[in-house]
Amino acid sequence: MNLIDNVWPFLLILLSCYLLKYACDTFEQAASYLGRKFPPGVKGATVNAIGSSMPEMCVVIACLFWFDDPSLVMVALGVTAGSAIFNGCVIPALSIIMAKDEDGKAVNSIKLTKRVLVRDVFWVLFAEIALIIFLGFNAFTLWMAVVLNVIYLGYAIHLYIDARSHQEVEDEYEYEEIEDRGKFLNLMTFNFNTLFFSNRPFTLVSALVVLVLAIAIISGSSHLLVEGVLGSASVMGVPQFFAGLIFGSAASSVPDLMLSVKDAQKGEYEDAVANPLASNTFDTTVAFALPLLAWFMINGVDQLPLVQDESLTLLRWSIVGITGAVAASLLFNYKNVTKTVAYFLLSMFVVWAGAMYVFIG
C-alpha cells in the first residue's frame, strides 16, 4: 500500500466526524423547536436521542443493504456496542466538566432528578441485558429483533406517561440561531434554516424540513464511516470488529456528544444526561434490531449466524458492567454530580479501550 491508501480510511473517518458535527448542530436547532413543550429529560430521551442515534442505525443499514454483506453485522455490532460505552462514559463526563448555569457561568457540579435518572437507567440496562443474552446464542433470530424493538416501545410508552403527567413546562422556548456565515459556508455547515427560510424562527414545516435534511446528511456520513472503518482495519491489521468498536463508535457518537455538551452549557442537565442514556437504549434496540428485522423479512430468512468467541463474550459483559458502573456513579451522587465523578467515568473508558485493544486488537 502507498501512503495515500494508508491514510485514506482515516480521512474518511475524520470527514464523517465533520459532517456529523455540523449536521448535529442543525438537527439540534430543529429538535429544540419540536421538543419545546417536553418536560425535563424527555426531549433528550426522545427527539435528541433518536436523531443522534441515526449514525448507528445507518451503519447497520449500510452493512446489510449498501454493502450487501450480512457478515459485516459484526462491524455494525462493534459500532453500536462501542458507542454504548462511549455514550455512557465520555458524554456524561464531558457534560459535567463543561456544564454551565443559566447565566453562562461554569459550575463545579450538577444536580439531576432521581426519578428521571432511574427511569433511563432501568430501560438502558433492560435493553442491554436483553441484547447480551441474545448474543450468547449461535444465531440472532427474527424474534430476537422483534423483542428488542418491543423493549423500546415500552420505553416510549413510559416517556409518554411522563410527558402526560408533566404537561406544564415553565421555561419558554427560545429560537437558537446559528450564525449566518454566508451562502457558501452555510451550505458547507448545513445551516439549512438560513439557506432556505432566511433564518426566521421555526414553524412546524420548516423545522421538519431542516430535521429531514440533517438526518439525510447523517445517513450519508454513516456510509462514509463504514468505508473508513473497513479500510482502517485493513491498514492496521486488526479485526474489522475492533475498528468498528473504537473508531466507528467514537465517530458515530459525535452527535450525542455535541447535543449533550450544548445542553449542559445551557444549564439543561437533565437532557444532557438523558440523551446518551436514551441513545444507548435506542442503539441496542431499534438502531441494531430494526434494520435486521427488515433484512430478515426482505430475504425471507429468520436467523443470522453468530460466531461465538472470546471477543464477543468480553464485549457482551463489558457493556452491562460499565453501564452498571456509570448508573451507580450517577445515582449515588445525583444531588451533587461533581467533576470527580466525571474523571472517574473518563478513566473507566480509557481502561476499557485499552483492555479491548489487548484482548481483541
Side-chain angles (χ1 to χ4, degrees), residues 124-182:
V124 72
L125 283 174
F126 186 22
E128 290 181 356
I129 289 172
L131 179 62
I132 68 163
I133 290 174
F134 293 157
L135 293 178
F137 291 86
N138 292 324
F140 191 90
T141 69
L142 182 148
W143 289 109
M144 292 176 184
V146 170
V147 169
L148 290 176
N149 281 284
V150 169
I151 288 174
Y152 192 81
L153 178 61
Y155 179 47
I157 292 172
H158 193 163
L159 291 175
Y160 175 77
I161 293 171
D162 268 9
R164 293 279 295 178
S165 61
H166 296 81
Q167 297 218 353
E168 295 183 7
V169 180
E170 296 180 0
D171 295 334
E172 293 185 0
Y173 164 75
E174 293 183 7
Y175 171 63
E176 299 178 11
E177 180 178 340
I178 296 178
E179 179 186 357
D180 187 345
R181 305 178 178 97

Coordinates of all heavy atoms in Angstrom, one line a residue, residues 124-182:
V124 N -32.2 1.4 29.9 CA -31.0 1.1 29.2 C -30.4 -0.3 29.6 O -29.9 -1.1 28.8 CB -29.9 2.2 29.3 CG1 -29.3 2.3 30.7 CG2 -28.8 2.0 28.3
L125 N -30.4 -0.5 30.9 CA -29.9 -1.8 31.4 C -30.8 -3.0 31.0 O -30.3 -4.0 30.6 CB -29.9 -1.8 33.0 CG -28.7 -1.0 33.6 CD1 -28.9 -0.9 35.1 CD2 -27.4 -1.7 33.2
F126 N -32.1 -2.8 31.0 CA -33.0 -3.8 30.5 C -32.7 -4.2 29.0 O -32.6 -5.3 28.6 CB -34.5 -3.3 30.6 CG -35.5 -4.3 30.2 CD1 -35.3 -5.7 30.3 CD2 -36.8 -3.9 29.9 CE1 -36.2 -6.6 29.9 CE2 -37.8 -4.8 29.6 CZ -37.5 -6.2 29.6
A127 N -32.5 -3.1 28.2 CA -32.2 -3.3 26.8 C -30.9 -4.0 26.6 O -30.8 -4.9 25.8 CB -32.2 -2.0 26.0
E128 N -29.9 -3.6 27.3 CA -28.5 -4.1 27.1 C -28.5 -5.6 27.6 O -27.8 -6.4 27.0 CB -27.5 -3.3 27.8 CG -27.3 -1.9 27.1 CD -26.3 -1.0 27.8 OE1 -25.7 -1.5 28.8 OE2 -26.0 0.0 27.2
I129 N -29.1 -5.9 28.7 CA -29.2 -7.3 29.2 C -29.8 -8.2 28.2 O -29.4 -9.3 27.9 CB -29.8 -7.3 30.6 CG1 -29.0 -6.7 31.7 CG2 -30.1 -8.8 31.0 CD1 -29.6 -6.5 33.0
A130 N -30.9 -7.7 27.6 CA -31.6 -8.5 26.6 C -30.7 -8.8 25.4 O -30.6 -9.9 24.9 CB -32.9 -7.8 26.1
L131 N -30.0 -7.7 25.0 CA -29.1 -7.9 23.8 C -28.0 -8.9 24.1 O -27.7 -9.7 23.3 CB -28.5 -6.5 23.5 CG -27.5 -6.5 22.3 CD1 -28.2 -7.0 21.0 CD2 -26.9 -5.2 22.1
I132 N -27.3 -8.8 25.3 CA -26.2 -9.7 25.6 C -26.7 -11.1 25.7 O -25.9 -12.1 25.4 CB -25.4 -9.2 26.8 CG1 -26.2 -9.4 28.1 CG2 -24.8 -7.8 26.7 CD1 -25.3 -9.4 29.3
I133 N -27.9 -11.3 26.2 CA -28.4 -12.7 26.3 C -28.6 -13.2 24.9 O -28.2 -14.4 24.6 CB -29.8 -12.7 27.1 CG1 -29.5 -12.4 28.6 CG2 -30.5 -14.0 26.9 CD1 -30.8 -12.3 29.4
F134 N -29.2 -12.4 24.0 CA -29.4 -12.8 22.6 C -28.1 -13.1 21.9 O -28.0 -14.1 21.1 CB -30.2 -11.8 21.8 CG -31.6 -11.6 22.3 CD1 -32.3 -10.4 22.1 CD2 -32.3 -12.6 23.0 CE1 -33.6 -10.3 22.5 CE2 -33.6 -12.5 23.5 CZ -34.2 -11.3 23.2
L135 N -27.1 -12.3 22.2 CA -25.8 -12.5 21.5 C -25.0 -13.8 22.0 O -24.0 -14.2 21.4 CB -24.9 -11.3 21.7 CG -25.4 -10.0 21.0 CD1 -24.4 -8.8 21.3 CD2 -25.5 -10.2 19.5
G136 N -25.6 -14.4 23.1 CA -25.0 -15.6 23.6 C -25.4 -16.8 22.8 O -24.8 -17.9 23.0
F137 N -26.4 -16.7 21.9 CA -26.8 -17.8 21.1 C -25.9 -17.9 19.9 O -25.2 -17.0 19.5 CB -28.3 -17.7 20.8 CG -29.2 -17.8 21.9 CD1 -29.5 -16.8 22.8 CD2 -29.8 -19.1 22.2 CE1 -30.4 -16.9 23.8 CE2 -30.6 -19.2 23.3 CZ -30.9 -18.1 24.1
N138 N -26.1 -19.0 19.1 CA -25.3 -19.2 17.9 C -25.9 -18.5 16.7 O -25.3 -18.5 15.6 CB -25.2 -20.7 17.6 CG -24.3 -21.4 18.6 OD1 -23.3 -20.9 19.1 ND2 -24.7 -22.7 19.0
A139 N -27.1 -17.9 16.9 CA -27.7 -17.2 15.8 C -28.6 -16.1 16.4 O -29.2 -16.3 17.5 CB -28.5 -18.1 14.9
F140 N -28.7 -15.0 15.6 CA -29.6 -13.9 16.0 C -30.8 -14.1 15.2 O -30.8 -14.1 13.9 CB -28.9 -12.5 15.8 CG -29.7 -11.4 16.3 CD1 -29.4 -11.0 17.6 CD2 -30.7 -10.8 15.6 CE1 -30.2 -9.9 18.2 CE2 -31.4 -9.7 16.1 CZ -31.1 -9.3 17.4
T141 N -32.0 -14.2 15.8 CA -33.2 -14.6 15.1 C -34.1 -13.4 14.9 O -34.0 -12.4 15.5 CB -34.0 -15.7 15.9 OG1 -34.5 -15.1 17.1 CG2 -33.0 -16.9 16.2
L142 N -35.1 -13.7 14.0 CA -36.1 -12.6 13.8 C -36.9 -12.3 15.0 O -37.2 -11.1 15.3 CB -37.1 -13.2 12.7 CG -38.2 -12.3 12.2 CD1 -38.5 -12.6 10.8 CD2 -39.5 -12.4 13.1
W143 N -37.2 -13.2 15.9 CA -37.9 -13.0 17.1 C -37.1 -12.2 18.1 O -37.7 -11.4 18.9 CB -38.5 -14.3 17.7 CG -39.6 -14.9 16.8 CD1 -39.5 -16.0 16.1 CD2 -40.9 -14.3 16.6 NE1 -40.7 -16.2 15.4 CE2 -41.5 -15.2 15.7 CE3 -41.5 -13.2 17.1 CZ2 -42.8 -14.9 15.3 CZ3 -42.8 -12.9 16.7 CH2 -43.5 -13.8 15.8
M144 N -35.8 -12.4 18.1 CA -35.0 -11.5 19.0 C -35.0 -10.1 18.5 O -35.1 -9.2 19.4 CB -33.5 -12.0 18.9 CG -33.3 -13.4 19.5 SD -31.6 -13.9 19.3 CE -31.6 -15.6 20.0
A145 N -35.0 -9.9 17.2 CA -35.2 -8.5 16.7 C -36.5 -7.9 17.1 O -36.6 -6.7 17.5 CB -35.0 -8.5 15.2
V146 N -37.6 -8.7 17.0 CA -38.9 -8.2 17.4 C -38.9 -7.8 18.9 O -39.4 -6.7 19.3 CB -40.0 -9.3 17.2 CG1 -41.3 -8.9 17.8 CG2 -40.1 -9.5 15.7
V147 N -38.3 -8.7 19.8 CA -38.3 -8.4 21.2 C -37.6 -7.1 21.5 O -38.0 -6.3 22.3 CB -37.7 -9.6 22.0 CG1 -37.4 -9.2 23.4 CG2 -38.6 -10.8 21.9
L148 N -36.4 -6.9 20.9 CA -35.7 -5.6 21.1 C -36.5 -4.4 20.7 O -36.4 -3.4 21.4 CB -34.3 -5.7 20.4 CG -33.3 -6.7 20.9 CD1 -32.1 -6.7 20.0 CD2 -32.9 -6.3 22.3
N149 N -37.2 -4.5 19.6 CA -38.0 -3.3 19.2 C -39.2 -3.1 20.2 O -39.5 -2.0 20.5 CB -38.5 -3.5 17.8 CG -37.5 -3.2 16.7 OD1 -37.2 -2.1 16.4 ND2 -36.9 -4.3 16.1
V150 N -39.7 -4.2 20.7 CA -40.8 -4.1 21.7 C -40.3 -3.4 23.0 O -41.0 -2.7 23.6 CB -41.4 -5.4 22.0 CG1 -42.4 -5.4 23.2 CG2 -42.2 -6.0 20.7
I151 N -39.1 -3.7 23.3 CA -38.5 -3.1 24.6 C -38.5 -1.6 24.4 O -38.8 -0.8 25.3 CB -37.1 -3.7 24.8 CG1 -37.2 -5.1 25.3 CG2 -36.4 -2.8 25.9 CD1 -35.8 -5.8 25.5
Y152 N -38.0 -1.1 23.2 CA -38.0 0.3 23.0 C -39.4 0.9 23.0 O -39.7 2.0 23.5 CB -37.3 0.7 21.7 CG -37.0 2.2 21.7 CD1 -35.9 2.8 22.4 CD2 -37.9 3.1 21.0 CE1 -35.7 4.1 22.4 CE2 -37.7 4.5 21.1 CZ -36.6 5.0 21.7 OH -36.4 6.3 21.8
L153 N -40.4 0.1 22.5 CA -41.8 0.6 22.5 C -42.2 0.8 24.0 O -42.9 1.8 24.3 CB -42.7 -0.4 21.8 CG -44.2 -0.1 21.8 CD1 -44.5 1.2 21.1 CD2 -44.9 -1.3 21.2
G154 N -41.8 -0.1 24.9 CA -42.1 0.0 26.3 C -41.5 1.3 26.9 O -42.2 2.0 27.7
Y155 N -40.3 1.6 26.5 CA -39.6 2.8 26.9 C -40.4 4.0 26.4 O -40.6 5.0 27.2 CB -38.2 2.8 26.4 CG -37.4 4.0 26.8 CD1 -37.4 4.5 28.1 CD2 -36.6 4.6 25.8 CE1 -36.6 5.6 28.4 CE2 -35.8 5.7 26.2 CZ -35.8 6.2 27.5 OH -35.0 7.3 27.8
A156 N -40.8 4.0 25.2 CA -41.5 5.1 24.6 C -42.8 5.4 25.3 O -43.2 6.5 25.5 CB -41.8 4.9 23.1
I157 N -43.5 4.3 25.7 CA -44.8 4.4 26.4 C -44.5 5.0 27.8 O -45.3 5.9 28.3 CB -45.4 3.0 26.6 CG1 -45.9 2.5 25.2 CG2 -46.6 3.1 27.6 CD1 -46.5 1.1 25.2
H158 N -43.4 4.6 28.4 CA -43.0 5.2 29.7 C -42.8 6.7 29.6 O -43.2 7.5 30.4 CB -41.8 4.5 30.3 CG -41.5 4.8 31.7 ND1 -40.6 4.0 32.4 CD2 -41.9 5.8 32.5 CE1 -40.6 4.5 33.7 NE2 -41.3 5.6 33.7
L159 N -42.1 7.1 28.5 CA -41.8 8.5 28.3 C -43.1 9.3 28.0 O -43.3 10.4 28.5 CB -40.9 8.7 27.1 CG -39.4 8.2 27.2 CD1 -38.7 8.3 25.9 CD2 -38.7 9.0 28.3
Y160 N -44.0 8.7 27.3 CA -45.3 9.3 27.0 C -46.1 9.5 28.3 O -46.7 10.6 28.5 CB -46.1 8.4 26.1 CG -47.5 9.0 25.8 CD1 -47.7 10.1 25.0 CD2 -48.6 8.4 26.5 CE1 -49.0 10.5 24.8 CE2 -49.9 8.9 26.2 CZ -50.1 10.0 25.4 OH -51.4 10.5 25.2
I161 N -46.1 8.6 29.2 CA -46.8 8.7 30.5 C -46.1 9.8 31.3 O -46.8 10.7 31.9 CB -46.7 7.4 31.3 CG1 -47.5 6.3 30.6 CG2 -47.2 7.6 32.7 CD1 -47.4 4.9 31.2
D162 N -44.8 9.9 31.3 CA -44.1 11.0 32.0 C -44.5 12.4 31.4 O -44.7 13.3 32.1 CB -42.6 10.8 31.8 CG -42.0 10.1 33.0 OD1 -42.8 9.5 33.8 OD2 -40.8 10.0 33.1
A163 N -44.6 12.4 30.0 CA -44.9 13.7 29.4 C -46.3 14.1 29.7 O -46.6 15.3 30.0 CB -44.8 13.5 27.9
R164 N -47.2 13.1 29.8 CA -48.6 13.4 30.2 C -48.8 13.9 31.6 O -49.7 14.8 31.9 CB -49.5 12.2 30.0 CG -49.6 11.7 28.6 CD -50.7 12.5 27.8 NE -52.0 12.2 28.4 CZ -53.1 12.8 27.9 NH1 -53.0 13.7 26.9 NH2 -54.3 12.5 28.4
S165 N -47.9 13.5 32.5 CA -48.0 13.8 33.9 C -47.3 15.1 34.2 O -47.3 15.6 35.3 CB -47.5 12.7 34.8 OG -46.2 12.4 34.5
H166 N -46.5 15.7 33.2 CA -45.8 16.9 33.4 C -46.1 17.8 32.2 O -45.2 18.2 31.5 CB -44.3 16.7 33.5 CG -43.9 15.9 34.7 ND1 -44.0 14.5 34.7 CD2 -43.4 16.2 35.9 CE1 -43.6 14.0 35.9 NE2 -43.2 15.0 36.6
Q167 N -47.4 18.2 32.1 CA -47.8 19.0 30.9 C -47.4 20.4 31.0 O -47.2 21.1 30.0 CB -49.3 18.9 30.7 CG -49.7 17.5 30.4 CD -50.8 17.4 29.4 OE1 -51.4 18.4 29.0 NE2 -51.2 16.2 29.0
E168 N -47.2 21.0 32.2 CA -46.8 22.4 32.3 C -45.3 22.5 32.3 O -44.6 21.9 33.1 CB -47.4 23.0 33.6 CG -48.9 23.0 33.6 CD -49.5 23.7 34.8 OE1 -48.6 24.2 35.6 OE2 -50.7 23.7 35.0
V169 N -44.8 23.2 31.4 CA -43.3 23.5 31.3 C -43.1 25.0 31.5 O -43.6 25.8 30.9 CB -42.8 23.1 29.9 CG1 -41.3 23.3 29.8 CG2 -43.1 21.6 29.6
E170 N -42.2 25.3 32.5 CA -42.0 26.6 32.9 C -41.2 27.4 32.0 O -41.4 28.6 31.7 CB -41.4 26.6 34.3 CG -42.3 26.0 35.4 CD -41.6 26.1 36.8 OE1 -40.4 26.5 36.8 OE2 -42.2 25.6 37.7
D171 N -40.1 26.8 31.4 CA -39.2 27.5 30.5 C -39.8 27.7 29.2 O -40.3 26.8 28.6 CB -37.9 26.7 30.4 CG -37.1 26.7 31.7 OD1 -37.4 27.5 32.5 OD2 -36.4 25.7 31.9
E172 N -39.8 28.9 28.6 CA -40.3 29.2 27.3 C -39.2 28.9 26.3 O -38.0 29.0 26.5 CB -40.7 30.7 27.2 CG -41.9 31.1 28.1 CD -42.3 32.5 27.9 OE1 -41.6 33.2 27.0 OE2 -43.2 33.0 28.5
Y173 N -39.7 28.4 25.1 CA -38.8 28.1 24.0 C -38.2 29.4 23.5 O -38.8 30.4 23.3 CB -39.5 27.4 22.9 CG -38.8 27.3 21.6 CD1 -37.7 26.4 21.5 CD2 -39.1 28.1 20.5 CE1 -37.0 26.4 20.3 CE2 -38.5 28.1 19.4 CZ -37.4 27.2 19.2 OH -36.7 27.2 18.0
E174 N -36.8 29.3 23.2 CA -36.1 30.4 22.6 C -35.5 29.9 21.3 O -34.7 28.9 21.4 CB -35.1 31.0 23.5 CG -35.7 31.7 24.8 CD -34.6 32.4 25.6 OE1 -33.4 32.4 25.2 OE2 -34.9 32.8 26.7
Y175 N -35.7 30.6 20.2 CA -35.1 30.2 18.9 C -33.6 30.3 19.0 O -33.1 31.3 19.4 CB -35.6 31.1 17.8 CG -34.9 30.9 16.5 CD1 -35.0 29.6 15.9 CD2 -34.2 31.9 15.9 CE1 -34.4 29.4 14.6 CE2 -33.6 31.7 14.7 CZ -33.6 30.5 14.1 OH -33.0 30.3 12.9
E176 N -32.9 29.2 18.7 CA -31.5 29.1 18.7 C -30.9 29.4 17.3 O -30.9 28.5 16.5 CB -31.0 27.8 19.3 CG -31.5 27.5 20.7 CD -31.1 26.1 21.2 OE1 -30.3 25.5 20.5 OE2 -31.6 25.7 22.2
E177 N -30.4 30.6 17.1 CA -30.0 31.0 15.8 C -28.5 30.5 15.6 O -27.7 30.6 16.4 CB -30.0 32.5 15.7 CG -29.5 33.0 14.3 CD -29.6 34.5 14.2 OE1 -30.4 35.1 15.0 OE2 -28.9 35.1 13.4
I178 N -28.3 29.9 14.4 CA -26.9 29.5 14.0 C -26.4 30.7 13.2 O -27.1 31.2 12.3 CB -26.9 28.2 13.2 CG1 -27.4 27.0 14.0 CG2 -25.5 27.9 12.6 CD1 -27.5 25.7 13.3
E179 N -25.2 31.1 13.5 CA -24.6 32.2 12.9 C -24.6 32.2 11.3 O -24.3 31.1 10.8 CB -23.1 32.3 13.3 CG -22.3 33.5 12.7 CD -20.9 33.5 13.1 OE1 -20.5 32.6 13.8 OE2 -20.1 34.4 12.6
D180 N -25.0 33.3 10.7 CA -25.0 33.3 9.3 C -23.6 33.5 8.8 O -23.0 34.6 9.0 CB -25.9 34.5 8.8 CG -26.1 34.6 7.3 OD1 -25.3 33.9 6.6 OD2 -27.0 35.3 6.8
R181 N -23.1 32.5 8.1 CA -21.7 32.5 7.7 C -21.5 32.9 6.2 O -20.4 32.7 5.6 CB -21.0 31.2 8.0 CG -21.1 30.7 9.4 CD -20.5 29.3 9.6 NE -20.6 28.9 11.0 CZ -21.5 28.1 11.5 NH1 -22.5 27.7 10.7 NH2 -21.4 27.7 12.7
G182 N -22.6 33.3 5.5 CA -22.5 33.5 4.1 C -23.0 32.2 3.4 O -22.9 31.1 3.9

